[in-house]
Amino acid sequence: MQASLKRKWRPRLWTVVLLVLGIVLCLPFAGLILFRFYDSQLVQQTEESLLTQAAVMSAAYAELYAAASGTEPPSWGPVSAKHAVFPSLSVNSETVLPPRPDAKPMTARPAAAYQAIAPQLGRIAKAAQAQTLAGYRLTDAIGNVFAGTAETGKSLGHVAEVQKALAGKSVSVARTRLREDSPPALYTLSRGARVRVFVAMPVFVDQTLIGTVYLSRTPNHIFRFLYGERFNLAKTAAFVGLSTALIGYVFWRFITRPIRLLIQRSQSAGHGDKAWKPPDQLGTREIEDLSLSFQSLTERLQSKQDALKTYTAHVTHELKSPLTALKGATELLRDDALAPSQRHRLLDTVDKGGKRMEDLLANMRAFSLADQSAMTGTCFLNEIRAQISQAFPALAIQLENVSLPLPVEARTLQIMLTHMLENSQQHGAQEAVLTVYQDGAATCLRIADDGSGISIGNTGKILQPFFTTKRDVGGTGMGLNIVKATMEAIGGGLSVVPANAGACFLLTFR
């Protein structure tokens, strides 16, 4: 019958272990995807670097232009955050602009002052480019490139960021990068590898705009480093694979295999008279403790079974005598000629035999319930205040009418209240009120809390074995049933009391 029941699907332990190992194996590769979140930060670092270079270059540009044109050197004034520029770019589909338009031919030659300073600024730009890898373009007041490292003799006045700089505003943009070669496949995971940062900064002399400094550079990205270290990464991947295999072996050797052996021993424990023994391969200390617990449990069960067999054999033997007497008396009572005195003696024999059988059966039933810990006695609620408060420090417990005695042993009451307060705490209670009162001949203990309460649909099910609404947080549905069985064992009862808020239960001692 049990074998035919449909079992709910649950993953096997080795399946869970393989899943965990797969996740561990994928973590290094998943980390590569997470590097994409650093793209914007790397772009801003590049932007900040270009802004710094542009500021230095614009200062040199202004000084040289003032000297070449015979005007007063520029006055920079005090340092102020009002005119400071800060990086602000981010890399996403909305902020990345299309590739930069190509340069156009000049419409007019730059003035003599620009031509005079062009060689010196060009040398400075080339020296800076050798160290920073940035592209330098210096334009006049209409966007003609008269010096720099690229596009000299061309016009960039039609480019959006240059136009804004010629209007007196520093501009930073990210544009889609055009590559002549095909990038490695790994670079496609990085947005920063597909853009180029452009910074355009206006140059002023005596509050007159004389031109712009236009810089560009491709941001650095993590995959450039990773691609260069691809062979070392392959070694690392091999190490990760071997480590994962080693972890799998450790799981199998110390967890999966010992548990499988425990299952096999447990399945064979109920067959024959062979005693249960723990397997030799026990793995971890916890599994060894579990195995020893199984052994202790089976020994106790075997001891109880042996005692029950002995007691049953004894009761069976004792029942033979009254049964024999009852059968004999019944046969003799069928004789209609039996004297009244003999009939009375035979009826007394039947009565004594029935009473004897009743006593034997009652004793047998009491023996079968001997493992229950319910004990009657007398105690006060105050006697267990410290124990239950210590067991539930997060629960505010109030005791009322503590001077009224309860007809139950203190240890038994503590066990029952532990189950009740655990139930309250699992349902979000912050406060529990325990009230003792007399109801006629019965003594009652009411347990009320401010938790989530009991729905109308669950009121009739709450005291059923294994019924719980907190199975996901460890609820077994046996706490209230244990209290109910214990109360019934000492002649009392457990009931649900309707409440406007929270849950309320009543222990009735009769």
Side-chain angles (χ1 to χ4, degrees):
M1 178 66 180
Q2 185 177 2
S4 63
L5 294 176
K6 186 177 180 181
R7 298 175 62 184
K8 183 179 180 181
W9 182 88
R10 298 182 187 277
R12 293 185 177 273
L13 181 60
W14 64 265
T15 306
V16 177
V17 171
L18 286 179
L19 179 61
V20 172
L21 293 177
I23 294 174
V24 171
L25 190 61
C26 291
L27 283 178
F29 302 100
L32 298 178
I33 306 300
L34 295 179
F35 279 123
R36 298 183 64 179
F37 292 105
Y38 293 98
D39 282 344
S40 292
Q41 181 65 30
L42 293 173
V43 167
Q44 287 191 2
Q45 290 178 0
T46 302
E47 179 191 6
E48 184 176 21
S49 174
L50 291 178
L51 287 171
T52 303
Q53 298 171 48
V56 174
M57 184 63 73
S58 64
Y61 181 179
E63 290 285 350
L64 292 174
Y65 182 86
S69 61
T71 59
E72 290 291 329
S75 176
W76 306 111
V79 176
S80 173
K82 180 179 179 181
H83 302 291
V85 289
F86 299 97
S88 59
L89 290 179
S90 62
V91 182
N92 54 61
S93 57
E94 291 79 16
T95 59
V96 176
L97 302 179
R100 201 209 72 187
D102 293 334
K104 295 182 178 180
M106 284 187 182
T107 56
R109 291 178 57 82
Y114 295 105
Q115 297 181 26
I117 63 174
Q120 192 171 359
L121 286 176
R123 290 193 297 270
I124 295 174
K126 290 179 181 179
Q129 185 184 47
Q131 301 294 323
T132 65
L133 304 180
Y136 290 80
R137 299 163 182 82
L138 293 95
T139 75
D140 59 13
I142 60 174
N144 294 323
V145 181
F146 69 92
T149 60
E151 299 177 311
T152 305
K154 300 285 187 177
S155 174
L156 296 175
H158 59 289
V159 178
E161 53 267 31
V162 176
Q163 289 179 350
K164 292 181 180 180
L166 291 174
K169 182 181 179 181
S170 295
V171 182
S172 301
V173 297
R175 291 184 175 275
T176 301
R177 180 188 178 191
L178 296 177
R179 298 180 61 110
E180 296 179 357
D181 57 337
S182 299
L186 190 62
Y187 282 21
T188 59
L189 298 176
S190 173
R191 293 177 179 175
R194 303 195 297 270
V195 302
R196 189 170 179 85
V197 178
F198 293 85
V199 169
M201 183 174 291
V203 181
F204 293 92
V205 172
D206 195 19
Q207 298 184 352
T208 300
L209 190 142
I210 62 171
T212 66
V213 174
Y214 188 41
L215 279 67
S216 64
R217 181 183 168 187
T218 301
N220 196 8
H221 55 89
I222 192 64
F223 295 113
R224 179 175 295 162
F225 168 78
L226 294 178
Y227 184 74
E229 297 292 330
R230 56 190 180 278
F231 297 110
N232 291 331
L233 287 176
K235 297 177 183 177
T236 303
F239 173 77
V240 171
L242 291 175
S243 300
T244 304
L246 179 60
I247 294 173
Y249 172 76
V250 171
F251 266 97
W252 174 81
R253 174 64 177 79
F254 293 99
I255 298 179
T256 307
R257 184 184 179 191
I259 290 178
R260 173 56 61 183
L261 292 174
L262 282 178
I263 293 174
Q264 293 174 352
R265 292 290 178 92
S266 299
Q267 289 175 342
S268 62
H271 303 284
D273 297 329
K274 188 177 181 180
W276 192 91
K277 292 183 179 180
D280 297 331
Q281 306 270 340
L282 286 175
T284 65
R285 179 60 60 87
E286 289 78 10
I287 295 180
E288 181 184 12
D289 293 340
L290 179 62
S291 177
L292 295 177
S293 299
F294 282 166
Q295 185 178 17
S296 176
L297 175 62
T298 54
E299 288 175 353
R300 290 199 303 270
L301 292 176
Q302 187 66 41
S303 176
K304 288 187 176 183
Q305 185 178 9
D306 293 341
L308 183 59
K309 287 180 179 179
T310 302
Y311 186 76
T312 303
H314 175 71
V315 170
T316 303
H317 175 74
E318 291 293 327
L319 284 174
K320 287 182 180 179
S321 297
L323 280 173
T324 302
L326 286 172
K327 289 176 65 177
T330 302
E331 290 176 359
L332 292 174
L333 285 172
R334 294 180 186 276
D335 187 358
D336 295 334
L338 195 64
S341 59
Q342 291 178 331
R343 187 180 296 276
H344 283 297
R345 284 197 299 270
L346 291 174
L347 289 173
D348 288 341
T349 301
V350 172
D351 184 57
K352 290 179 181 178
K355 185 68 169 60
R356 174 65 174 166
M357 292 174 65
E358 183 180 8
D359 291 341
L360 289 172
L361 291 174
N363 290 334
M364 189 174 182
R365 180 177 181 276
F367 176 79
S368 67
L369 299 175
D371 57 341
Q372 294 189 4
S373 61
M375 297 179 63
T376 57
T378 302
C379 72
F380 294 87
L381 202 55
N382 243 348
E383 295 179 23
I384 60 172
R385 178 196 293 267
Q387 290 89 336
I388 61 177
S389 297
Q390 184 178 4
F392 302 94
L395 196 61
I397 303 174
Q398 297 184 21
L399 307 181
E400 297 180 359
N401 255 1
V402 295
S403 60
L404 192 63
L406 291 166
V408 62
E409 195 267 342
R411 175 60 181 166
T412 303
L413 180 61
Q414 180 183 341
I415 293 173
M416 291 191 296
L417 288 181
T418 298
H419 288 294
M420 300 294 293
L421 295 176
E422 280 181 350
N423 186 70
S424 297
Q425 191 166 262
Q426 283 182 351
H427 288 78
Q430 302 293 323
E431 183 181 85
V433 181
L434 279 59
T435 307
V436 183
Y437 64 93
Q438 199 75 29
D439 184 10
T443 304
C444 301
L445 173 59
R446 184 174 64 241
I447 301 100
D449 63 51
D450 60 349
S452 58
I454 306 169
S455 66
I456 297 176
N458 291 336
T459 302
K461 307 175 185 177
I462 196 70
L463 297 182
Q464 294 179 3
F466 305 107
F467 178 80
T468 178
T469 59
K470 295 294 182 181
R471 195 174 303 277
D472 55 337
V473 294
T476 63
M478 286 300 295
L480 293 178
N481 193 256
I482 291 173
V483 176
K484 180 173 178 286
T486 305
M487 287 298 298
E488 291 173 350
I490 61 177
L494 170 66
S495 58
V496 182
V497 179
N500 294 329
C504 185
F505 296 90
L506 187 65
L507 301 179
T508 305
F509 303 89
R510 298 182 179 87

